[in-house]
Amino acid sequence: MPTALPRVAWIGLGVMGSPMSEHLLKAGYPVTGHTLEAHKLDRLAAAGGTPAATVAEAVRGADVIVTMLPADPHVEAVAYGEDGVLAHARPGALLIDMSTVAPRTSVALAAAATAGGKGVRVLDAPVSGGEAGAVEGVLSVMVGGAAADFAAAEPLLATFGTTVARCGGHGAGQTVKAANQLIVAVTLQACAEAVVLLEKSGADLATALDVLGGGLAGSAVLSRKRHNFLAREFAPGFRLDLHHKDMGIVMDAARAVGAALPLGSAAATLVASARARGDGGLDHSALLRGVELLSGTAS
């Protein structure tokens, strides 16, 4: 007789959380979800999930609890509040935080989950791939925590991730995600600068980007953001506001271990500048607008 799939509580049904939870439903997992937006709960119900009015209602009796939230304060509020996860999760439940937060936040959460006999197991499991990756189910999932807990979670994570790997102990997933966001920010800025150089030099931009994409300069960033650069369309797949938050995590993590990040510091400043100009709601490929402004070609 086949073993029943674990009961999942999903907290946070935003741009990433909704399609990810729907992949679980398609795979047969029973999912109870909670979020603050009523229409997202309607979407969950339409996909076959069970809406919950509160975090406590969602997590009660769940085998696995997944949180996918915007930032550290949201994770802490959901985890530690009187109506939160740790107050209502059953002993032995597995909490998988897929939000992007500081490594120290994940380490503290793992410690709190075992304190006082709570007995909740924790993994930090941030993702890379953006909205498109979440919809297509091809995310990269970087995990920190105990090996046995990762083994238990891996089949579930594989429903929406094509690269799923344990990177070390608690906080390691978040450290790898910080490195990911560092690379993406620096690469986006380099691509933006190349676009302006090419256009001001009179090269055919579409052809040039194709050639660059086929050589050593090729990257997932260039491939996924090619249309944004060509069409100057910056509908958010991943908002600059969020990348600004993530670059704060990068710099904080670097200070904690004494790592010098010269390019990372410059990229963090440029992301902050774009946000200060009012571009925070745009896709992070809108870093191009800053290069155009400096180059005198802004429209």
Side-chain angles (χ1 to χ4, degrees):
M1 185 173 180
T3 303
L5 291 171
R7 295 163 294 172
V8 179
W10 193 288
I11 313 299
L13 296 166
V15 169
M16 301 290 288
S18 282
M20 291 166 71
S21 64
E22 287 163 9
H23 284 298
L24 287 182
L25 288 165
K26 290 173 186 173
Y29 287 85
V31 178
T32 299
H34 172 72
T35 196
L36 297 179
E37 299 170 285
H39 70 282
K40 297 290 180 64
L41 292 176
D42 292 340
R43 172 175 169 173
L44 178 71
T50 303
T54 65
V55 172
E57 180 185 336
V59 306
R60 199 171 290 121
D63 301 306
V64 178
I65 301 152
V66 180
T67 49
M68 181 53 123
L69 300 163
D72 299 58
H74 307 89
V75 171
E76 290 168 344
V78 164
Y80 302 135
E82 288 184 9
D83 295 322
V85 172
L86 297 186
H88 294 277
R90 67 168 184 79
L94 177 60
L95 169 58
I96 308 174
D97 180 32
M98 307 199 75
S99 320
T100 296
V101 299
R104 55 184 166 78
T105 299
S106 295
V107 172
L109 176 57
T114 58
K118 291 186 177 69
V120 175
R121 301 169 293 149
V122 177
L123 295 172
D124 49 287
V127 302
S128 178
E131 181 181 7
V135 171
E136 296 164 15
V138 294
L139 293 168
S140 177
V141 187
M142 45 217 84
V143 185
D149 295 336
F150 170 71
E154 192 172 10
L156 182 152
L157 299 175
T159 62
F160 44 70
T162 50
T163 302
V164 180
R166 177 177 175 268
C167 304
H170 296 298
Q174 298 295 352
T175 301
V176 175
K177 179 59 185 286
N180 181 88
Q181 297 305 81
L182 167 64
I183 292 169
V184 171
V186 170
T187 305
L188 277 170
Q189 181 64 26
C191 288
E193 293 179 17
V195 166
V196 172
L197 171 64
L198 290 163
E199 288 194 324
K200 287 182 76 74
S201 302
D204 181 271
L205 182 59
T207 301
L209 293 182
D210 287 342
V211 172
L212 291 171
L216 189 57
S219 68
V221 170
L222 180 57
S223 174
R224 283 194 177 270
K225 303 301 179 179
R226 179 183 183 277
H227 173 75
N228 302 64
F229 293 137
L230 286 172
R232 283 0 186 232
E233 291 182 2
F234 303 115
F238 188 79
R239 290 184 289 115
L240 268 164
D241 276 340
L242 289 174
H243 213 136
H244 173 69
K245 180 266 293 184
D246 290 352
M247 292 307 292
I249 292 172
V250 170
M251 302 313 295
D252 180 68
R255 282 193 298 271
V257 298
L261 305 180
L263 288 178
S265 180
T269 299
L270 291 164
V271 171
S273 176
R275 185 171 179 268
R277 288 195 310 273
D279 286 351
L282 300 180
D283 187 77
H284 50 179
S285 57
L287 284 172
L288 175 60
R289 288 160 55 93
V291 183
E292 291 178 324
L293 184 65
L294 292 171
S295 303
T297 57
S299 56

